[in-house]
Amino acid sequence: MRNTTLGTHGPQLGVIGLGAMGMSFAYDMGTPRDEATSVSVIHQALDLGVTLIDTADVYGPYTNEELVGRALADRRDRAVIATKVGMECIDPTGGPGGAPLVKPNGRPEHVRAAIDASLRRLGTDQIDLYQLHRVDPEVPLEETWGALAEAVTAGKARYLGLSEVSVEQIQRAEAIHPVTTVQSEFSLWTRDVQAEVLPYCREHGIGLLPYSPLGRGFLLGRFSSFDELPENDQRRRLPRFQQDNLRANLDIVGKVRAVADRIGATPAQVALAWLVAQGEHVVPIPGTKTPKYLADNAGGADVRLSAADLADLDAIPAPVGARY
């Protein structure tokens, strides 16, 4: 896989990464998790040149970092580990549908304790990219970001990133310590960052990590009705997946499929190639726990979209329904 860098000054890595969250929770919770398969997917990812492995302390909660740590125990030097801090699990089953109930926690003392716990779970002495999962509205961003900067000074983290932030918040953080990346939901059906955040990142050499780059699987055409969504799956609570909205949004799937058929690629590869084409330092992080889908996603790095292809994809209308 061809490489890029995380922002102008960050580490080198493959142009497509891997989101590990779904290996532990959130999607299709009725299907038992197979750790051996998840570990093999991470190993296969490295072999394919997918070197950025993205997790977070609260995924699981807390078990996803352990999984990533075990998978990378004998190949740590081949991976760029990205994890997150700033969310706290209040009740492992107290959220909607029995999901973990979490809330932001940006207190500096929480950050200082959390990175040591993440290092233990990941089995490493340094995190390549340490990201603020969400800004805590009750704690000044400067205080939270200052605690993350302390982790860099202490050698516990190499680079720092933000997630789901505005340009104004990026600027406030930059005044204290460089921002290497911004992670936001970004795909052919979630394009909010194109208005301000993406242009700012391009201009200032900040990497952008699109999560849910395949529209939480919707862009692949896997679901044609609400009833096809697995039980205990967080998508059942999202407005875009409710029956009337989902039916209306199938037109988007058709437009992605049309481009894919025209160029001999899969919908996943087209959706990822469109994101990679948005900028030199845009590195989408599709999640999967399946070897077949991993190989399909990695193939998106080799797809070159023509100007006509990009124009057709850019013209896809916004979906019906809010993100959350």
Side-chain angles (χ1 to χ4, degrees), residues 66-280:
E66 295 174 346
L67 169 64
V68 170
R70 286 191 289 272
L72 297 178
D74 61 349
R75 57 199 79 196
R76 172 66 183 92
D77 60 337
R78 297 177 59 190
V80 175
I81 295 179
T83 192
K84 309 177 196 73
V85 66
M87 298 294 286
E88 181 178 25
C89 182
I90 305 304
D91 184 338
T93 59
L101 179 64
V102 299
K103 73 170 187 178
N105 186 344
R107 298 192 307 273
E109 59 269 26
H110 174 74
V111 173
R112 295 183 186 111
I115 190 167
D116 289 335
S118 287
L119 288 169
R120 288 195 299 272
R121 287 189 289 266
L122 290 164
T124 187
D125 57 5
Q126 188 178 58
I127 293 165
D128 297 307
L129 177 65
Y130 202 41
Q131 304 162 95
L132 179 59
H133 206 153
R134 292 292 187 274
V135 175
D136 188 340
E138 298 181 1
V139 179
L141 173 58
E142 289 78 5
E143 294 183 13
T144 307
W145 194 248
L148 269 78
E150 290 175 12
V152 176
T153 301
K156 297 177 181 181
R158 294 177 65 196
Y159 303 98
L160 301 182
L162 293 160
S163 181
E164 290 289 2
V165 288
S166 66
V167 167
E168 184 266 343
Q169 289 171 323
I170 299 172
Q171 292 171 330
R172 286 168 59 190
E174 285 182 309
I176 295 168
H177 185 90
V179 175
T180 297
T181 60
V182 170
Q183 183 170 151
S184 291
E185 183 169 356
F186 184 26
S187 70
L188 280 167
W189 81 337
T190 300
R191 309 190 198 188
D192 310 58
V193 298
Q194 286 183 310
E196 296 181 356
V197 172
L198 178 58
Y200 185 88
C201 289
R202 285 172 176 160
E203 182 180 352
H204 293 84
I206 296 172
L208 186 71
L209 304 180
Y211 73 84
S212 297
L214 303 177
R216 303 177 190 274
F218 185 77
L219 293 173
L220 310 184
R222 294 178 188 164
F223 312 108
S224 58
S225 74
F226 179 85
D227 293 335
E228 293 177 358
L229 293 167
E231 296 292 335
N232 299 321
D233 188 301
Q234 71 171 15
R235 286 169 289 200
R236 283 179 166 262
R237 301 188 295 275
L238 301 178
R240 292 179 185 175
F241 286 90
Q242 302 312 302
Q243 187 58 54
D244 290 344
N245 292 345
L246 188 151
R247 188 180 298 112
N249 290 330
L250 288 175
D251 183 56
I252 297 174
V253 177
K255 292 181 183 301
V256 176
R257 169 68 68 181
V259 174
D261 289 346
R262 187 169 71 213
I263 67 174
T266 67
Q269 291 167 353
V270 167
L272 293 170
W274 179 83
L275 283 167
V276 171
Q278 302 307 305
E280 180 183 1

Side-chain angles (χ1 to χ4, degrees), residues 285-299:
I285 47 173
T288 185
K289 56 184 186 295
T290 306
K292 177 181 71 172
Y293 292 145
L294 172 70
D296 188 19
N297 294 344

